[in-house]
Amino acid sequence: MLKILAVDDEPAFLELTRAYLERDGDIVVETTPSPRQALDMLAETPYDVIVADYEMPEMNGIALLQEVRRRGLSIPFIIFSGRGREEAIIEALNSGADFYLQKGGSPSARFAELRNFILQAARRRRAEVEAQRAGDLYRSIFEYTGSATIIIEGDMTISLANSECERLTGYSRKDIEGKMPFTAFVAPEDRERMENFHRQRRIDPRSAPRTYEFRLIDREGRRREIRLTVGIIPGTDRSVVSLIDITDRKRFEEELSAAHEEMTAAFEEATASQEALEAQCREMEDYQATLRGIIDFLPDPTFALDRNGRIIIWNRAMQELTGVRMEQIIGSGADAISRVIPGLAPPSLAERILRGEVAETPGREVYITSPRTGKEVCLWAKASPLYDAAGELAGAIESMRDITKSKEMADQIRRRIALEQLVRSISTRFIGLDPSDLDDALQETLELLGSFLGVDRSYILRFSTDLTHAENTNEWCAEGVEPQIDVLFNLPEDVITWGLENVRARQTICIPDLAALPDDEAEIRDFLLDYGISSIILVPIASAAEPLGIIGFETAGRKRRWSDDDITLLEIAGNLFADLFSRVRAQEQLLENEERFRTLIESSHDCYIRVTGTPPVIDYISPSIERLSGYTPEEILGDPDFFERWVHPDDRETLGALLGGLGGCTSRECTLRVRRKDGRYIWIEVSAVPVYGNDGRPVAFHYAIHDIDAWKQAEAALMRANKKLNLMNNIVRHDILNQVTVVLGHLALLREQPLDPAVTGALDRMEVAAEIIKSQIGFTRDYQELGVRAPQWFSVRAAVEEAVKTLRPKGVSVSTDLDDLRIYADPLLNSVFYILFDNSVRHGRTVTAIRITAAPDDGGARITWEDDGIGIPAEEKPRIFDRGFGRNTGLGLFLAKEVLAITGITIQETGVPGKGARFEILVPAGAARFG
């Protein structure tokens, strides 16, 4: 049964968690909404897993996790939170969380995943505890066997050695493990024998002896007699080997045998006693070696005092820390410790235990100066009493762990957090900053950065638009530092150029020691040194498009090393300044443009109105409305029904459609009659331009009102004049046609009489001339209508079909692919296709098919008219659109070109002679609509 502690400031969510997790009966959930209460519960009750929310009022999940780990609890910890940002997940996992699970989505799926994480964490924790216990047991057995012990791989390499092996061979574990074969210590005369034993043992473990002796050569070249005991680790090809130094015993035996060989029988009893004494000595040696191995194994500097305060233990780590060898200090009083460890104030914790002044396992932080490096290090000292077999206090042992790196890392983390908070505060200050507060904000930011970095001076240079000088400068100086703002305003050109080169390259200039600059930068070095600057860092302030300035930090009279974190912070600050300056410059340009636009609008003869919202509300009217209407903007804005009364009754429907434009998405234009304040109606032209929001829908309309009353009056007068001219033209044309008909009639009568051939020829020429006059009079009728009526949008398909219906060609098929094209053209557009059709049928001779197609072309359209006739000779192509050229009147294609040209449409012939005529009609952008 797993016992879970759930922490969340939402009681309802805690109940839901309990309900889901306790359903299968193998988990018991205890809950609390308070992280502080959770810490109290952890002190009283063991739990298998902790599940905590991220965001809680008293303490967030990360802080709770850190406090749990600070208390030495390694309970699995799962963050179960609605916050899913990447930085939160990274922070949780870096702080020691086992899993991070985001709330949301299907509750069943999320709680199933939570349950799975809990079971995984519990199983993993149990496995770790078991592995730790087994590992500790194994290491203890291996380390404290009392003899040198090694593990040998199949290739004879030593993979593990204990501290007694180090003492025996003179080699450190670092030199031995994974690097040296065990035969490296074996005397040459024993090496082959031991290698054979090693190989035989892996073929048949019983074929090689388990215990035997050999000669070992240590690091100093000394020979030692060794008794070796070896065995294969089951399931592997690794051997565990125990080595016992029997050199003294062998030497003693040899000396004794040589000196008393003849007295062996007489001294059997003494020999037996000697053997017993040797056994006791070996036991004592083994015990001392084991104790020495334990103490030497400890990585922390450790010493011990006996009950009289004398130093009895001084391990290798202590020797490395102090530079004092064990034999130099063993037996000295406790006061010797403070002499060899500068900065360690007496009494030590071990002394205080002997005096009974502190608890059994006190601890404290100690700052000392390392005798080896001369640098300050931080040690965590911890002491414990030692008791004899009778339970009496026999001494005290004290160890000191170097926590300098941990402290430095903690300081770096705190500094990084402070950096992030500083950047966040600067960013927050800059967001939405009013340009009028810019100088204050820059000054505050310089002070924040300068104080944080511990510099003497910080400043900002903002370059002029032509990048020749600093046009704006802010400076902050530490207390007692002389300002140099006047110097900053008048920097030499070579200094500006030097800075600009690096700003353009987006490079930070970091010079910890100005005096160390090379001679090729002597001018810059000497200029800066003259002003007392010793160390400087310059960070570019640049947008994507241009350099904007530099942010600089200086120290005077002292060098300074700029860390990577410092540079990162300042480059982030440089980017924030660049964003701020770009935004301020854009705001200034926007205000300048707004002022320019307002001046233009208010001095314009036309009137401008802005309408926003639904229903539409007028929020701006230009002053020129008074000149146009006689009413002031205030009078209009104060009268909600003004525009309905202002517009002529017949034009109010047009006004309604125009004002309803907020629901549409295109520009509109219309003409209206409006009543001035003096009661007179005038014509105006209104253009509506939509303003679109982020969703692509219009959020406002700008209406431009132009007084066209004079133009309308001139237009009406012109129309009256045209009407009179057309009437006169019709009368004259009618009379001329009547007379031409009379001439043709008389010519016909004359042909009925017998005539001289010369007379007949003259009559033929007269008839041709009369027909030409009749055709030209007919052309004046068509040309008279050209451009009289306003252009409109026409369907090309309808115009083509009308021409086909009028001519009804026999034996000619007509196909179209016009995609519902509409073009803006003169109302005589139908006659254009009639002329093209007549041209194909009349002059193509062999035409059996005509195809008309259309396709988009650069915002407009390309209409192609093709037939399969004989085509147009190449020499005639340049003249076919000229007036009078052709086999008949020569006016058809000329008229077609003129009709199209009214709205900017062009026509050209691009066919191949002998393969048919091909006319391309090019409609300009904005004058064509598909679909």
Side-chain angles (χ1 to χ4, degrees):
M1 181 74 70
L2 295 178
K3 196 167 189 178
I4 308 302
L5 176 59
V7 188
D8 197 303
D9 60 338
E10 290 289 344
F13 192 80
L14 287 174
E15 289 304 316
L16 182 64
T17 303
R18 188 202 302 273
Y20 267 98
L21 296 181
E22 291 186 347
R23 286 192 301 182
D24 295 336
D26 56 348
I27 294 177
V28 173
V29 180
E30 292 187 4
T31 65
T32 176
S34 167
R36 300 194 186 282
Q37 185 180 3
L39 293 172
D40 295 337
M41 294 170 70
L42 287 170
E44 298 173 358
T45 307
Y47 292 96
D48 295 299
V49 180
I50 301 171
V51 178
D53 190 13
Y54 181 90
E55 293 182 345
M56 294 179 286
E58 295 179 350
M59 178 188 297
N60 66 31
I62 302 300
L64 176 60
L65 167 61
Q66 293 170 345
E67 179 61 22
V68 169
R69 294 292 183 255
R70 190 189 68 78
R71 295 187 179 191
L73 300 178
S74 56
I75 303 171
F77 202 105
I78 299 174
I79 299 292
F80 189 26
S81 171
R83 186 174 184 183
R85 293 188 303 173
E86 181 180 350
E87 60 268 22
I89 297 173
I90 293 173
E91 183 184 11
L93 297 178
N94 287 343
S95 297
D98 294 84
F99 295 102
Y100 189 104
L101 182 59
Q102 187 176 353
K103 296 177 182 176
S106 167
S108 299
R110 277 290 179 266
F111 282 105
E113 192 173 1
L114 176 61
R115 174 184 171 80
N116 181 44
F117 283 170
I118 289 172
L119 295 177
Q120 284 187 49
R123 285 195 295 268
R124 185 165 67 189
R125 175 58 183 161
R126 288 173 181 166
E128 290 173 352
V129 170
E130 291 300 324
Q132 180 68 31
R133 187 180 293 116
D136 291 345
L137 179 60
Y138 171 77
R139 282 191 294 273
S140 297
I141 293 172
F142 183 80
E143 184 64 32
Y144 305 123
T145 56
S147 61
T149 305
I150 60 175
I151 292 178
I152 303 174
E153 301 293 331
D155 62 356
M156 302 186 190
T157 301
I158 298 173
S159 60
L160 194 63
N162 66 1
S163 56
E164 186 61 22
C165 179
E166 292 181 302
R167 186 197 66 77
L168 180 65
T169 64
Y171 292 94
S172 68
R173 293 183 185 179
K174 183 178 179 181
D175 296 331
I176 297 173
E177 292 178 349
K179 298 177 180 178
M180 300 178 68
F182 80 95
T183 53
F185 313 125
V186 178
E189 60 268 25
D190 294 333
R191 192 168 298 158
E192 183 177 357
R193 173 172 61 95
M194 295 190 67
E195 288 175 348
N196 290 335
F197 286 164
H198 180 80
R199 286 190 289 270
Q200 292 172 14
R201 191 172 294 109
R202 275 144 186 79
I203 298 171
D204 180 6
R206 293 173 297 182
S207 65
R210 186 170 180 274
T211 302
Y212 52 90
E213 296 179 0
F214 74 97
R215 283 166 286 276
L216 179 145
I217 300 176
D218 66 13
R219 189 167 195 163
E220 302 297 330
R222 294 177 299 223
R223 286 179 172 248
R224 297 176 183 272
E225 297 288 337
I226 302 297
R227 174 178 288 276
L228 176 148
T229 302
V230 60
I232 294 290
I233 298 175
T236 71
D237 65 346
R238 306 166 79 190
S239 303
V240 58
V241 178
S242 174
L243 307 172
I244 298 177
D245 187 356
I246 59 172
T247 304
D248 292 340
R249 191 193 72 181
K250 294 280 286 187
R251 185 174 62 253
F252 179 78
E253 288 176 349
E254 291 172 358
E255 290 175 357
L256 185 64
S257 177
H260 301 284
E261 186 176 3
E262 71 279 4
M263 299 178 64
T264 300
F267 291 99
E268 288 182 355
E269 184 176 353
T271 302
S273 299
Q274 180 65 34
E275 290 175 352
L277 180 61
E278 287 177 357
Q280 292 177 359
C281 289
R282 284 197 302 272
E283 290 179 4
M284 182 62 68
E285 288 174 357
D286 290 345
Y287 175 77
Q288 291 176 346
T290 300
L291 180 61
R292 190 180 304 111
I294 292 172
I295 300 300
D296 282 345
F297 169 76
L298 294 176
D300 298 331
T302 304
F303 67 90
L305 305 177
D306 63 12
R307 61 168 53 91
N308 297 318
R310 297 290 178 180
I311 300 172
I312 58 173
I313 292 177
W314 191 265
N315 74 348
R316 293 186 180 182
M318 202 71 184
Q319 296 176 51
E320 293 175 359
L321 174 69
T322 62
V324 177
R325 298 185 59 79
M326 176 178 62
E327 56 269 20
Q328 294 175 304
I329 200 166
I330 292 293
S332 302
D335 57 342
I337 298 172
S338 58
R339 291 199 302 271
V340 299
I341 305 179
L344 181 64
S348 66
L349 293 177
E351 289 181 84
R352 297 181 67 188
I353 288 177
L354 294 178
R355 298 175 187 176
E357 298 176 356
V358 293
E360 290 197 349
T361 55
R364 66 172 177 172
E365 278 189 3
V366 177
Y367 290 89
I368 68 167
T369 301
S370 172
R372 291 189 302 107
T373 65
K375 296 182 180 179
E376 184 180 70
V377 295
C378 180
L379 304 175
W380 174 253
K382 193 170 184 179
S384 179
L386 299 175
Y387 298 97
D388 59 18
E392 298 294 329
L393 183 66
I397 187 169
E398 182 173 344
S399 64
M400 289 175 282
R401 176 165 295 175
D402 188 347
I403 60 171
T404 306
K405 291 185 177 179
S406 299
K407 295 283 286 185
E408 290 175 351
M409 187 175 297
D411 291 341
Q412 289 175 0
I413 292 172
R414 283 193 292 271
R415 181 177 175 82
R416 183 175 291 277
I417 291 172
L419 283 174
E420 293 174 355
Q421 292 174 343
L422 181 60
V423 170
R424 194 179 300 115
S425 68
I426 294 172
S427 178
T428 303
R429 179 75 169 91
F430 285 176
I431 293 175
L433 180 69
D434 190 304
S436 61
D437 298 330
L438 178 62
D439 278 340
D440 291 341
L442 295 180
Q443 203 65 32
E444 292 173 11
T445 304
L446 287 176
E447 183 174 357
L448 280 173
L449 292 171
S451 300
F452 182 85
L453 295 170
V455 298
D456 297 317
R457 182 183 297 106
S458 59
Y459 49 83
I460 295 173
L461 299 179
R462 295 175 63 187
F463 295 145
S464 61
T465 54
D466 59 1
L467 305 178
T468 59
H469 63 281
E471 69 174 8
N472 200 349
T473 301
N474 295 80
E475 180 190 36
W476 170 84
C477 295
E479 186 175 355
V481 177
E482 183 179 355
Q484 299 288 351
I485 192 165
D486 292 337
V487 177
L488 295 174
F489 265 118
N490 298 286
L491 287 174
E493 185 175 346
D494 57 340
V495 175
I496 292 286
T497 303
W498 175 72
L500 273 173
E501 290 174 356
N502 290 277
V503 173
R504 286 196 177 98
R506 305 298 194 274
Q507 292 179 347
T508 297
I509 304 170
C510 181
I511 308 174
D513 183 7
L514 270 171
L517 276 180
D519 291 339
D520 58 354
E521 295 188 3
E523 291 185 12
I524 300 297
R525 179 191 62 201
D526 297 341
F527 173 79
L528 296 175
L529 288 175
D530 286 345
Y531 287 96
I533 301 171
S534 299
S535 178
I536 188 171
I537 184 168
L538 299 173
V539 179
I541 303 174
S543 66
E546 60 178 340
L548 302 173
I550 288 177
I551 178 171
F553 299 85
E554 301 172 354
T555 60
R558 57 188 173 93
K559 304 174 186 176
R560 189 193 192 286
R561 188 182 68 83
W562 304 92
S563 68
D564 291 342
D565 284 344
D566 293 338
I567 295 172
T568 300
L569 164 68
L570 296 179
E571 287 178 346
I572 293 173
N575 292 334
L576 292 176
F577 280 118
D579 292 341
L580 174 64
F581 292 162
S582 297
R583 189 168 67 250
V584 169
R585 182 172 292 182
Q587 289 175 346
E588 291 172 349
Q589 291 176 348
L590 179 61
L591 291 173
E592 182 180 343
N593 290 339
E594 284 181 354
E595 183 61 30
R596 187 182 297 116
F597 179 72
R598 180 177 295 275
T599 302
L600 177 64
I601 291 297
E602 293 183 353
S603 61
S604 172
H605 182 74
D606 290 346
C607 171
Y608 295 89
I609 298 176
R610 176 181 170 88
V611 177
T612 59
T614 303
V617 175
I618 299 173
D619 64 2
Y620 175 76
I621 302 177
S622 65
S624 55
I625 190 70
E626 185 173 2
R627 183 171 57 249
L628 178 72
S629 67
Y631 296 94
T632 65
E634 291 75 17
E635 290 178 302
I636 297 173
L637 292 172
D639 185 354
D641 300 323
F642 173 80
F643 285 99
E644 186 174 353
R645 290 186 289 99
W646 189 43
V647 176
H648 192 284
D650 294 343
D651 296 336
R652 286 173 186 168
E653 185 176 348
T654 304
L655 174 66
L658 188 67
L659 292 179
L662 280 175
C665 59
T666 59
S667 301
R668 302 184 179 188
E669 291 184 358
C670 67
T671 57
L672 303 169
R673 287 163 291 177
V674 296
R675 187 174 184 176
R676 286 177 48 84
K677 194 171 185 178
D678 58 13
R680 180 170 59 89
Y681 278 102
I682 62 172
W683 281 94
I684 62 172
E685 181 181 63
V686 182
S687 298
V689 179
V691 178
Y692 297 97
N694 293 332
D695 59 357
R697 298 180 180 179
V699 296
F701 261 82
H702 290 170
Y703 294 96
I705 302 175
H706 181 61
D707 184 354
I708 61 170
D709 192 59
W711 177 78
K712 276 289 188 178
Q713 291 178 13
E715 182 184 43
L718 183 60
M719 289 178 68
R720 288 193 297 271
N722 281 338
K723 187 175 181 181
K724 292 177 181 179
L725 288 172
N726 288 340
L727 178 60
M728 184 184 72
N729 287 340
N730 288 336
I731 294 172
V732 172
R733 184 167 52 249
H734 180 268
D735 292 343
I736 292 173
L737 288 175
N738 284 341
Q739 296 303 316
V740 170
T741 302
V742 171
V743 171
L744 291 173
H746 283 291
L747 289 174
L749 289 175
L750 287 173
R751 287 183 184 278
E752 294 177 0
Q753 305 296 324
L755 299 173
D756 184 84
V759 174
T760 301
L763 290 177
D764 290 340
R765 289 190 291 274
M766 291 175 62
E767 186 175 4
V768 170
E771 288 293 345
I772 292 173
I773 292 171
K774 184 178 179 180
S775 175
Q776 290 176 338
I777 292 299
F779 172 75
T780 61
R781 180 186 65 245
D782 294 336
Y783 204 75
Q784 173 183 307
E785 298 298 323
L786 191 64
V788 173
R789 288 174 291 170
Q792 300 175 20
W793 288 95
F794 292 97
S795 167
V796 175
R797 176 181 285 110
V800 171
E801 290 174 351
E802 183 66 26
V804 173
K805 188 187 301 181
T806 301
L807 288 175
R808 295 191 183 94
K810 293 181 180 180
V812 179
S813 65
V814 179
S815 62
T816 62
D817 182 8
L818 298 170
D819 193 23
D820 244 354
L821 172 63
R822 298 173 64 82
I823 65 174
Y824 188 70
D826 188 87
L828 290 177
L829 178 66
N830 288 0
S831 66
V832 172
F833 293 104
Y834 179 90
I835 292 168
L836 292 176
F837 211 116
D838 180 69
N839 188 79
S840 291
V841 174
R842 186 187 299 273
H843 303 296
R845 297 184 186 176
T846 61
V847 173
T848 60
I850 297 175
R851 177 171 175 77
I852 306 98
T853 59
D857 185 86
D858 197 20
R862 181 184 296 270
I863 304 170
T864 305
W865 179 290
E866 298 175 284
D867 64 40
D868 61 351
I870 64 171
I872 299 173
E875 64 273 10
E876 294 183 4
K877 285 177 179 285
R879 301 179 56 201
I880 59 173
F881 294 104
D882 292 347
R883 179 176 176 274
F885 180 81
R887 295 186 179 90
N888 294 307
T889 64
L891 300 174
L893 291 178
F894 169 73
L895 181 61
K897 182 183 73 170
E898 292 296 307
V899 170
L900 294 174
I902 290 175
T903 53
I905 303 173
T906 62
I907 182 171
Q908 57 183 347
E909 203 283 326
T910 60
V912 178
K915 294 185 178 182
R918 174 187 172 94
F919 291 92
E920 290 187 0
I921 300 173
L922 301 179
V923 184
R929 296 176 182 170
F930 283 90

